[in-house]
Amino acid sequence: MWSGGRLNCQYSPGMSEGTVMAQALYFTFVLSCLICGSHGLVSSGNGTTTVRSVDYIKTTTVTPTEKRDSTTKPNTTQSNKSTNAPEVRLTSTTTSKVLATTTRPPRTTTTANYSFNTEDLNEGIDKKVEKRVWNKEPEDEPLELECPPLGLESLRVKDTQLRASSYKRRGLGPHRGRLNIQSGIEDGDIYDGAWCAQYEDKKQWLEVDARRPTRFTGVILQGRSSIWSWDFILTYKVQFSNDTLVWQPAMNGTKEAVFEGNQDTETPALALFNESATVARYIRINPQSWYENGTICLRAEVLGCTLPDPNNIYAWQQTEQGTQDKLDFRHHNYKEMRKLMKSVTEACPDITHIYSIGKSHMGLKMYVMEISDHPGKHELGEPEFRYVAGMHGNEALGRELLLNLMQYICQEYKLGNQRIVRLVKETRIHLLPSMNPDGYEMAFKKGSELAGWALGRYSYQGIDMNHNFADLNKVMWDAVEFDFQNNDKSKLINHYIPIPEYYTSEDAFVALETRAVINWMQNIPFVLSANLHGGELVVTYPFDRTEDWAPRDDTPTPDNSFFRWLATVYASTNQVMSNPDRRPCHNENFQRYNNIINGANWHTVQGSMNDFSYLHTNCFDVTVELSCDKFPHASELPIEWENNKESLLIYMEQVHRGLKGVIRDKDTEAGIADAIIKVDDIDHHIRSVVDGDYWRLLNPGEYEVTVSAEGYNPSTRMCRVMYEHYPTICDFRLTKTPKQRLKEILAKGGKLPKDLQLRLRQLRLRKLRASTKAINSRRAAASRKARGS
């Protein structure tokens, strides 16, 4: 999900650049005040977990990481080959028209070398990398929580389970007192960033109804998420009840316990209760002191283990629905991810292949799991699909879903599940579970509930990778503007837009991880992709950047109807997104858009992977925001898998919609690479790959398709896309132009065939007649001019 600033300084979608700068300056000022102790607060500032106590109650405060040096340059020793694509000019020549038929595509074993070397996961991790990433200190391991969160952040706890003694207004009601909830653009709307009491006294409280007997073990607190306000709780008490009438305080020996709260608005502060914690149904958080220039505001999560109710004869109904799939549902750090991927390849060696596309700044490899019936090879006519997760390291759900997906496909393929078997045999699938492994390790060390909203989002160098790809939108729109002003289409391009030269220089601030993904895109002819994020529940589609730098504006691509179909396929099959009774995650109600939205109409993003993929390659890419909770607790993972399983599968199947075919030389039957495929009325072309095969994603309908290639006469066909899940085969055979044939024959030292000799004689005679006519016209004009004078 989009957010701003370093050090957990947040902003909301659509915020202006000036507002972001104002927030950054304000945040820097307040942080400096805190460090200097002007309000009696002290921050450790070293990025480590520190333990404090008030009345000997165990309280853990997780502080933000140190800000990275934004001037650090990335390692630019990585090759930048193949980053300058040739400029393409539009063609619209039309020749013969033939209607294509819809048939099931035949199997073929012709292959092209679109592959990376196999990774041997039996090899250990480089010792230098291991020392750099893992210091072997106790604080490097995430804190083990005895009981999971009740689910305020994940929305498992409903709004009706939250009450408060008072609240200022609806936007600051108890339903907003959820850990990591994000405020709207302006204070004062219905989507503010905390519960805030109406009165400033020690009698205010936020109450949570667990609905079942629960052994409460702790509370996590944050201050208010706000651009303009600075509100957080310094100390608080906790009470328990079974009926909301009689309340028992949390005790520390013979005295009522007072817990230490926050030192800023964003850093989560954990308080753990003693071993004799009370079993109850209700819990109240009762603030005792707060930031002196602020008011009583907080966001919270409650930790507790639910117990069976002996008085409930319907106890079986209390069991939460999980999943029947036997998968490894836990969070996997880099080492554990390697082990899991290795176990999948050992279980299914015939359909899996692990390779690395590069290394992170800290030296962690970016592993990809390939799944296909012929792993390591591109089969003629078989589309290439990819899922990318972990672009923002702290958005961990996508990472785990892809690890679950590779396990699931392996298991179901072995069991003979025909849907999975067909998908594996007809698609080459690539799964990149962690694009930002450095960021993930930072968040993982703090733990799912204590990482806050932004820790681990950026690369180790402080780069947001979803703003780090080349901005090809500007190149395209500048060309359109030039054409409009000069009536010159020579610079007009709509696909395979070359990467600007400045972006490929050694001084370009481009993350190594971004460079690796771009190289991956250029080496494998991907057709369809999705980029898995977290922190919201919505599917976004290109363009992600507005043309005039407006904060938000609907900016569709020429393929807008198909992108909307792709987004709808995922959103409508996702069990949470499609639930009409769900509440908004933070500050946008995407249900009014059917849970899909044009990316630029949410918030403008320069240099997104989706826009780059569409404008620089043949691949269509969307962003899936998977969950309100960026880093859900491990106990939530089985439910999240069930929520997303069907969506993940059906979205992959969309790679078989539209047209496919092979473009060949009519004389030699050799495939023609780099041929341009133009669909009439859609101002976005694609190109054929090395063996001449191509895939054009399209909705059902009848299309006029023109194919052109250098040295060949263009060819046009009518191709009809049907509603079946199989693509329409629309092959083309191109004939060489006489000039091209002449070049090839003369280059080989051969003799011209009679048809070419006759054609050449006709061309020369035609040229002679034209030149003679031009000379005679000039002489006649000169003669008339002389007589007139």
Side-chain angles (χ1 to χ4, degrees), residues 61 76 109 116 242 253 274 323 329 377 426 488 524 535 656 681 738:
T61 301
T76 54
T109 57
F116 289 74
N242 285 313
N274 57 37
T323 179
F329 293 116
K377 300 177 181 179
E426 298 178 355
D488 179 9
I524 295 180
H656 296 284
D681 297 329

Side-chain angles (χ1 to χ4, degrees), residues 738 753-764 766:
K754 289 185 178 181
D755 65 325
L756 268 185
Q757 290 179 15
L758 180 60
R759 186 73 182 271
L760 186 58
R761 189 178 299 116
Q762 292 174 342
L763 288 173
R764 287 173 177 171
R766 190 181 306 160

Side-chain angles (χ1 to χ4, degrees), residues 456-526:
R457 171 186 176 90
Y458 306 95
S459 73
Y460 188 84
Q461 298 166 282
I463 299 173
D464 187 332
M465 295 181 199
N466 204 35
H467 297 253
N468 198 224
F469 288 80
D471 182 9
L472 303 184
N473 305 61
K474 184 179 186 301
V475 177
M476 177 184 64
W477 288 326
D478 285 350
V480 172
E481 182 68 19
F482 181 88
D483 168 55
F484 178 78
Q485 294 179 357
N486 300 278
N487 196 25
D488 179 9
K489 294 187 177 181
S490 64
K491 296 183 179 296
L492 196 60
I493 51 179
N494 70 4
H495 74 295
Y496 272 51
I497 297 176
I499 297 176
E501 186 175 352
Y502 74 84
Y503 188 86
T504 64
S505 69
E506 293 185 1
D507 295 330
F509 196 38
V510 184
L512 287 177
E513 297 88 343
T514 308
R515 294 176 186 268
V517 170
I518 291 175
N519 181 63
W520 187 37
M521 290 178 174
Q522 292 174 333
N523 276 280
I524 295 180
F526 293 113

Side-chain angles (χ1 to χ4, degrees), residues 632-778:
H633 189 266
S635 61
E636 304 270 3
L637 295 179
I639 300 171
E640 293 291 359
W641 164 250
E642 204 60 35
N643 290 340
N644 287 276
K645 177 172 68 173
E646 177 60 24
S647 305
L648 291 167
L649 294 174
I650 199 169
Y651 184 82
M652 284 193 288
E653 292 170 342
Q654 304 313 301
V655 76
H656 296 284
R657 283 199 175 274
L659 303 176
K660 65 176 284 186
V662 181
I663 301 168
R664 302 181 187 274
D665 185 300
K666 187 175 181 180
D667 298 326
T668 65
E669 289 296 314
I672 302 174
D674 215 31
I676 299 172
I677 297 95
K678 172 188 175 183
V679 177
D680 194 35
D681 297 329
I682 299 180
D683 190 20
H684 180 79
H685 308 339
I686 63 164
R687 297 197 183 193
S688 61
V689 297
V690 171
D691 288 332
D693 46 346
Y694 77 93
W695 307 263
R696 183 53 166 102
L697 298 176
L698 292 166
N699 283 323
E702 192 168 322
Y703 300 91
E704 181 178 283
V705 183
T706 300
V707 173
S708 59
E710 186 176 357
Y712 290 87
N713 294 311
S715 177
T716 298
R717 298 183 63 177
M718 295 301 295
C719 303
R720 180 179 295 157
V721 177
M722 307 299 284
Y723 285 88
E724 285 80 3
H725 284 291
Y726 295 105
T728 295
I729 298 176
C730 201
D731 295 328
F732 288 83
R733 282 173 170 75
L734 305 186
T735 57
K736 291 188 177 71
T737 61
K739 185 177 180 181
Q740 180 67 22
R741 292 178 63 192
L742 178 61
K743 282 183 179 179
E744 293 178 1
I745 290 170
L746 294 178
K748 295 178 181 179
K751 185 178 179 181
L752 293 179
K754 289 185 178 181
D755 65 325
L756 268 185
Q757 290 179 15
L758 180 60
R759 186 73 182 271
L760 186 58
R761 189 178 299 116
Q762 292 174 342
L763 288 173
R764 287 173 177 171
L765 182 59
R766 190 181 306 160
K767 188 175 181 180
L768 178 62
R769 289 172 179 169
S771 61
T772 302
K773 184 177 180 180
I775 292 172
N776 290 338
S777 296
R778 285 198 299 270

